[in-house]
Amino acid sequence: MRQSFEQHILATQGVVGITADVIIFTVKDGKLHVLLVRRAHEPYQGRWAIPGGFMDKGETLEETARRELEEETGVRGGFYLEQLFTFSGPARDPRGPVNSTAYFALVNEVSITVRAGDDAKEAAWFPVNEIPRLLAFDHGKILVYALQRLRWKIEYTNVAWSFLPEHFPLAELQSVYEAILGRTLDKRNFRKKILQLGIVVSTQKRLSGQHRPAQLFRFKTRELQVAEVL
Amino acid sequence: MRQSFEQHILATQGVVGITADVIIFTVKDGKLHVLLVRRAHEPYQGRWAIPGGFMDKGETLEETARRELEEETGVRGGFYLEQLFTFSGPARDPRGPVNSTAYFALVNEVSITVRAGDDAKEAAWFPVNEIPRLLAFDHGKILVYALQRLRWKIEYTNVAWSFLPEHFPLAELQSVYEAILGRTLDKRNFRKKILQLGIVVSTQKRLSGQHRPAQLFRFKTRELQVAEVL
DNA sequence: GTAATAGTGTCTTTCAGACAATATCGA
DNA sequence: TCGATATTGTCTGAAAGACACTATTAC
């Protein structure tokens, strides 16, 4: 029975590669960045690409995505990962049909150390408005889609926690929002809204430079919560 | 080169079945319905399931989904189709690993004629709150997810067009919203909001029974548009 | 006291939501 | 004129968005 099932699959759909690609975002220096890798092999050798890799036997797609994320960044937790879309079709990869399920990951800059994975000879952060025009495969399209989703997500949920350390001043939270949305926000209205939503709670003070020290906050929960932030 | 790519895939990921499953929604008799099929073969023979099928060579997943949709309902256009999520993992199907990409389709009741497809011996509409407890595979979970997404989509976009004919009275649009959201809406507030949004435009009058005839409206565009309806 | 950042309050306008009476048609 | 459905407006409360000054610290 198992045998005939496999044969049926091979006969009707053929051999299809299955990959998980992970668009890894972080906020660095007040700007939203994406992690790209330079491809070490054909096809698209030398082009920048979204990190990804083939599914292994017995894995789920999410496990593949987590594995790729760890290989590239070394994060061990405290990040946010969400499935984005599955891209398919015979023409995406010259080697043959490949189904790629894209995920996006949001990581805190300080919790990671970038390193190039297997199939890549180089990995680097790119500010989202300085991304190379030509990426490998259809990765340009995928990136656009991921950005849209991220912008939506940051406005309607509490995911911003994934970019921040446990404790942070509100000004830093605001700058995360500004980096992702690409516009400045009014400080008073922002604080009012965030505090009234109750997604953060205040804690102690903060050591600081030659100016008034800021109060530190933390997120009430570091799991996805729907909340109309903006 | 092609050969070694296929061999590499087979060695590392094995043979993975790829299906597109389509959750087909319609509004009938003022209630939201889902189309289910009764499985003709093992596994889960006799159980109700979401219609779906394996991808063919050279197809995209969306083409597979459209094909399944047409097989089951005969619709030829005027529907809405959107990718939902890709479910994966070695344990979903006893025959072996299967990646299922779920789509949801919204169709106008009158544009279709239900018929059982290949792998099904029967197809039927179920009101969403009278769905059999035990569905095949993990289809119960998938359905819950689809319902969430549909409820979100109807509140924030103009997709309601997909359930309605070209011309319709506002009361019918309202009943679509009520069927999907599962609560009644105030007529005055609903009309105010919809008209002010400008997603529908008025046309002529309507022949009717023994009461005041209603004005007919049509959607300004029958393509997805973001609009905060409710 | 100065430089630097943190923190706070009011006003206006818009919109969601509650609520009930009149209009028009066929019979 | 009755039965049935269509159509319309007002009020209230909540929240978004514009806007500028005071507070606290290190030096």
Side-chain angles (χ1 to χ4, degrees):
Chain A
M1 193 63 185
R2 167 68 63 96
Q3 197 56 17
S4 79
F5 178 65
E6 290 196 352
Q7 280 165 2
H8 176 250
I9 302 258
L10 285 173
T12 58
Q13 88 184 18
V15 176
V16 178
I18 297 176
T19 74
D21 294 345
V22 188
I23 300 104
I24 306 170
F25 289 111
T26 201
V27 175
K28 264 179 57 159
D29 313 324
K31 286 203 252 179
L32 180 64
H33 287 70
V34 192
L35 186 69
L36 297 178
V37 297
R38 197 192 280 276
R39 286 185 58 80
H41 307 296
E42 290 294 343
Y44 296 102
Q45 184 170 20
R47 283 273 184 88
W48 290 98
I50 295 166
F54 286 92
M55 195 169 79
D56 280 348
K57 268 177 182 150
E59 267 186 341
T60 63
L61 280 166
E62 184 167 325
E63 284 162 356
T64 311
R66 291 192 123 84
R67 183 164 53 75
E68 290 297 325
L69 176 60
E70 278 192 34
E71 279 177 17
E72 304 293 344
T73 65
V75 277
R76 303 290 302 177
F79 55 85
Y80 177 74
L81 185 69
E82 173 179 310
Q83 187 182 308
L84 193 63
F85 198 82
T86 299
F87 299 85
S88 63
R92 298 183 54 248
D93 190 314
R95 294 169 294 181
V98 173
N99 275 16
S100 295
T101 299
Y103 284 78
F104 74 96
L106 312 182
V107 301
N108 176 355
E109 185 207 352
V110 302
S111 68
I112 58 178
T113 49
V114 171
R115 53 192 172 194
D118 277 349
D119 205 34
K121 54 181 176 191
E122 199 180 340
W125 290 108
F126 287 84
V128 289
N129 37 24
E130 298 172 28
I131 288 170
R133 289 224 172 273
L134 280 182
L135 298 181
F137 307 105
D138 49 2
H139 287 185
K141 187 176 75 176
I142 297 178
L143 205 41
V144 167
Y145 192 72
L147 259 172
Q148 280 179 11
R149 180 87 140 251
L150 171 58
R151 296 213 165 100
W152 184 87
K153 209 91 193 174
I154 201 89
E155 289 205 50
Y156 290 96
T157 75
N158 69 343
V159 265
W161 62 260
S162 55
F163 291 120
L164 292 168
E166 181 77 19
H167 299 279
F168 54 88
L170 278 191
E172 206 169 315
L173 178 59
Q174 182 175 343
S175 82
V176 166
Y177 273 88
E178 291 178 334
I180 293 170
L181 298 177
R183 61 190 162 99
T184 60
L185 300 171
D186 182 86
K187 204 193 338 183
R188 288 161 292 186
N189 293 337
F190 182 79
R191 295 176 77 97
K192 197 198 315 173
K193 192 68 207 291
I194 293 288
L195 292 175
Q196 154 208 323
L197 271 175
I199 56 175
V200 297
V201 295
S202 72
T203 62
Q204 267 53 328
K205 284 216 166 187
R206 176 194 215 192
L207 36 160
S208 193
Q210 55 193 72
H211 54 272
R212 178 171 174 178
Q215 198 177 174
L216 292 183
F217 291 80
R218 63 176 174 78
F219 275 88
K220 193 172 281 180
T221 169
R222 292 193 145 240
E223 276 166 17
L224 192 70
Q225 246 185 353
V226 175
E228 292 223 358
V229 181
L230 293 183
Chain B
M1 193 61 186
R2 167 69 62 97
Q3 196 58 15
S4 80
F5 179 64
E6 290 193 354
Q7 280 165 1
H8 177 250
I9 302 259
L10 284 172
T12 56
Q13 86 183 21
V15 176
V16 178
I18 297 176
T19 75
D21 295 343
V22 188
I23 300 106
I24 306 171
F25 288 112
T26 201
V27 175
K28 265 178 57 160
D29 313 324
K31 287 202 252 177
L32 180 63
H33 287 70
V34 192
L35 187 69
L36 297 178
V37 296
R38 197 193 279 276
R39 286 185 57 81
H41 307 296
E42 290 295 345
Y44 297 102
Q45 184 170 19
R47 284 272 185 87
W48 291 97
I50 296 167
F54 287 92
M55 195 170 77
D56 281 347
K57 269 179 181 148
E59 267 186 341
T60 63
L61 281 166
E62 182 166 328
E63 284 162 356
T64 311
R66 292 193 121 85
R67 182 164 54 75
E68 290 298 325
L69 176 60
E70 278 191 36
E71 278 176 18
E72 304 293 342
T73 65
V75 276
R76 302 291 301 177
F79 55 85
Y80 178 75
L81 185 70
E82 175 179 310
Q83 187 182 306
L84 193 63
F85 199 82
T86 298
F87 298 86
S88 63
R92 297 183 55 248
D93 190 314
R95 294 170 293 182
V98 173
N99 275 16
S100 294
T101 300
Y103 283 79
F104 75 97
L106 312 181
V107 301
N108 176 354
E109 184 208 352
V110 302
S111 68
I112 58 176
T113 49
V114 171
R115 53 193 172 192
D118 277 349
D119 205 35
K121 54 181 176 190
E122 200 180 339
W125 290 109
F126 287 84
V128 289
N129 35 24
E130 299 172 26
I131 288 171
R133 289 222 174 273
L134 281 182
L135 298 181
F137 307 103
D138 50 0
H139 286 185
K141 185 177 77 175
I142 297 179
L143 205 40
V144 167
Y145 192 72
L147 259 173
Q148 279 180 11
R149 180 87 142 250
L150 172 58
R151 294 214 165 100
W152 184 87
K153 209 89 191 176
I154 202 89
E155 289 205 51
Y156 289 95
T157 73
N158 69 344
V159 265
W161 63 259
S162 55
F163 290 120
L164 292 168
E166 180 78 19
H167 298 279
F168 55 87
L170 277 191
E172 206 171 313
L173 178 60
Q174 183 176 341
S175 81
V176 165
Y177 273 87
E178 291 178 335
I180 293 170
L181 298 178
R183 61 190 163 100
T184 59
L185 300 172
D186 182 86
K187 206 188 338 181
R188 288 160 293 186
N189 292 338
F190 182 79
R191 296 175 75 98
K192 199 199 314 175
K193 193 70 207 291
I194 293 288
L195 292 175
Q196 154 208 324
L197 272 175
I199 57 174
V200 298
V201 294
S202 71
T203 60
Q204 267 52 330
K205 284 215 160 180
R206 177 197 212 191
L207 35 159
S208 192
Q210 53 193 71
H211 54 273
R212 177 172 176 178
Q215 199 178 173
L216 293 182
F217 291 80
R218 64 179 173 75
F219 276 88
K220 194 172 278 181
T221 168
R222 293 194 144 238
E223 275 165 19
L224 192 70
Q225 245 184 353
V226 176
E228 293 222 358
V229 180
L230 293 182

